[in-house]
Amino acid sequence: MVDLSAFRQEARAWLEANCPPAMRQPLRSEKDVVWGGRNAVLTDDQRLWLDRMASRGWTVPEWPVAYGGGGLSPEEAKVLKEEMRALGCRSPLDSFGISMLGPALLKFGNEDQKREHLPKIARGEIRWCQGYSEPGAGSDLAGLQTRAVLDGDRFIVNGQKVWTSYADQADWIFCLVRTSTESKQGGISFLLFDMASPGVSTKPILLISGSSPFCETFFDDVSVPKENLVGELNRGWDVAKYLLGHEREMISGMGLGGSGASIGRRALQTVGVDDQGRLDDPLLRARIAHHEVRAEAFSAMLEGFIDELKAGRGHPAGASMVKYHGTELNKARHELLMSAGGSDVLEWESEATRGGAPARDWLRTKGNSIEGGTSEIQLGIVAKHLLRLPGA
């Protein structure tokens, strides 16, 4: 039986000694997020924090030590997360490799694939993107048409993906391809390949916010080694569904607001206080309080869902529930930040607003209800599989 009290003391002492002060400050913009990758440009403190956490396996604390993880139990990992939050420590590494591909490889990958890719993910050496959605195959993902034809010891891939987040910055892609037309879902396979491969090209998609992580991604006779097939040929839908659950869990986490400044603190700077020291706008104060109660309730629900998922008892549709609620909560949070910021948050380009970050971030949240499965699709899944409503 692990002594969690002793581990908590050890973790706290190590974090206090090793987390640079700059890595205990709230995130100011996406530029403060460390994604890793071959071409990553990091500050000295970002690199130091990443290297120290990776050396302990604490970028992926629950992964096996053999694959670059910390080998912690779920209970220990939760304690580590709590202590990082208490000290204000930033995440040392945010990665689709950690949140999506890694769990899928741990479950479906062979030993060579695990030893090749997982340690590099844990150390932030390779940045991954996700090749799922296509024109005409978004919510109906199983309708995808990107084709991979086996030619000797290689697949030849042709087709297009869309809404590929950070494809223009990623090193590798995990990609769903059609390898058979005999069955819609049974003819899909899951491939991994280098984005520097000949025949791969990307084109950024700009959004109303003026910027975007999204890209169109094109494959023109891309050669992929056969050993990069994860799972069985034509059984990639099993991998895809498993990974989608982790993606929706990841997206739901944005409902917690990350490590940015609180809404109330920002409101105080623009609205001021009344003679009792409270926010001098009772309606806004009530809205903020209501939102914070919802956020606390969601945090508790999400923690319970993740515990059930790790224990193998989570309902498959639970990921849709938390994804939908986290999405709505994040949009509501940014609506409040706009209400609390006064006229300054409507500004678009000044240094004072970091290039219009509040307005751009608010506009960006509109896409939350589309990415990772539209809200309408998630509600349909919840209605059918959780609530078992008639006709759903």
Side-chain angles (χ1 to χ4, degrees):
M1 186 70 177
V2 177
D3 185 344
L4 290 181
S5 296
F7 177 75
R8 185 181 296 277
Q9 293 178 0
E10 175 197 345
R12 182 184 303 140
W14 189 90
L15 291 170
E16 287 177 337
N18 287 277
C19 184
M23 295 296 100
R24 302 188 199 183
Q25 301 299 316
L27 297 174
R28 296 163 298 178
S29 70
E30 190 174 316
K31 292 181 180 180
D32 288 338
V33 178
V34 175
W35 290 94
R38 292 189 293 229
N39 301 311
V41 178
L42 307 181
T43 68
D44 290 342
D45 284 330
Q46 286 175 328
R47 171 57 63 188
L48 181 63
W49 183 224
L50 172 57
D51 289 347
R52 285 176 174 176
M53 287 289 277
S55 69
R56 293 209 61 161
W58 282 3
T59 55
V60 282
E62 292 183 64
W63 288 12
V65 174
Y67 305 136
L72 300 186
S73 68
E75 294 78 16
E76 289 173 315
K78 184 181 294 187
V79 167
L80 174 61
K81 185 176 181 180
E82 290 170 353
E83 290 303 313
M84 289 180 65
R85 186 184 302 119
L87 290 172
C89 301
R90 292 182 186 175
S91 167
L93 179 64
D94 288 88
S95 161
F96 294 159
I98 290 175
S99 59
M100 291 190 279
L101 177 61
L105 282 179
L106 285 168
K107 184 173 179 65
F108 294 97
N110 60 43
E111 190 62 21
D112 288 342
Q113 290 168 341
K114 292 176 183 178
R115 291 190 177 276
E116 170 65 23
H117 297 294
L118 292 176
K120 294 177 182 178
I121 291 172
R123 295 191 298 265
E125 295 176 3
I126 297 295
R127 183 171 181 175
W128 289 83
C129 64
Q130 177 190 30
Y132 270 34
S133 295
E134 298 183 6
S139 296
D140 181 23
L141 182 59
L144 64 90
Q145 295 300 313
T146 292
R147 188 172 297 274
V149 177
L150 188 59
D151 182 14
D153 62 352
R154 310 186 79 79
F155 289 97
I156 305 300
V157 179
N158 284 279
Q160 178 187 356
K161 298 293 178 178
V162 73
W163 309 117
T164 319
S165 297
Y166 304 107
D168 56 341
Q169 301 177 48
D171 304 312
W172 278 63
I173 187 170
F174 47 96
C175 191
L176 292 182
V177 295
R178 182 157 299 285
T179 47
S180 171
T181 57
E182 293 183 8
S183 170
K184 185 175 181 179
Q185 295 181 345
I188 293 172
S189 297
F190 192 100
L191 291 182
L192 313 176
F193 54 95
D194 196 319
M195 290 290 284
S197 303
V200 178
S201 60
T202 63
K203 180 182 178 182
I205 302 172
L206 293 182
L207 299 182
I208 192 173
S209 62
S211 62
S212 167
F214 300 124
C215 296
E216 293 179 279
T217 309
F218 304 91
F219 310 120
D220 184 12
D221 287 335
V222 180
S223 178
V224 180
K226 184 178 178 181
E227 58 264 29
N228 287 11
L229 172 71
V230 177
E232 300 179 34
L233 184 69
N234 299 326
R235 293 292 303 273
W237 191 247
D238 296 336
V239 187
K241 289 191 299 181
Y242 184 79
L243 188 147
L244 276 173
H246 287 273
E247 179 189 18
R248 287 165 183 165
E249 174 197 328
M250 174 196 69
I251 294 175
S252 72
M254 66 178 59
L256 302 178
S259 58
S262 72
I263 303 172
R265 191 175 301 121
R266 291 189 182 184
L268 286 172
Q269 297 171 357
T270 55
V271 179
V273 298
D274 61 17
D275 54 8
Q276 299 183 50
R278 303 175 303 181
L279 184 66
D280 195 18
D281 184 333
L283 294 179
L284 180 59
R285 191 167 69 233
R287 289 176 60 199
I288 292 174
H290 181 253
H291 176 82
E292 290 180 346
V293 169
R294 289 182 62 206
E296 287 295 326
F298 176 71
S299 177
M301 181 186 72
L302 183 60
E303 184 172 337
F305 166 75
I306 292 173
D307 287 345
E308 290 287 308
L309 190 67
K310 290 178 178 178
R313 299 191 299 268
H315 193 289
S320 293
M321 178 179 67
V322 297
K323 190 272 179 182
Y324 171 79
H325 195 70
T327 288
E328 295 304 309
L329 199 61
N330 190 52
K331 291 196 294 183
R333 178 175 182 272
H334 281 272
E335 291 281 353
L336 273 174
L337 285 170
M338 292 297 288
S339 297
S343 59
D344 288 346
V345 297
L346 300 176
E347 199 282 326
W348 199 245
E349 295 179 342
S350 78
E351 184 177 337
T353 61
R354 306 187 312 281
R360 294 179 191 271
D361 291 346
W362 165 65
L363 289 169
R364 170 64 181 85
T365 65
K366 305 306 178 183
N368 295 164
S369 55
I370 300 174
E371 57 197 334
T374 66
S375 290
E376 290 78 11
I377 292 294
Q378 305 315 308
L379 289 173
I381 292 172
V382 170
K384 181 176 181 179
H385 297 288
L386 279 178
L387 301 178
R388 301 190 181 278
L389 296 178

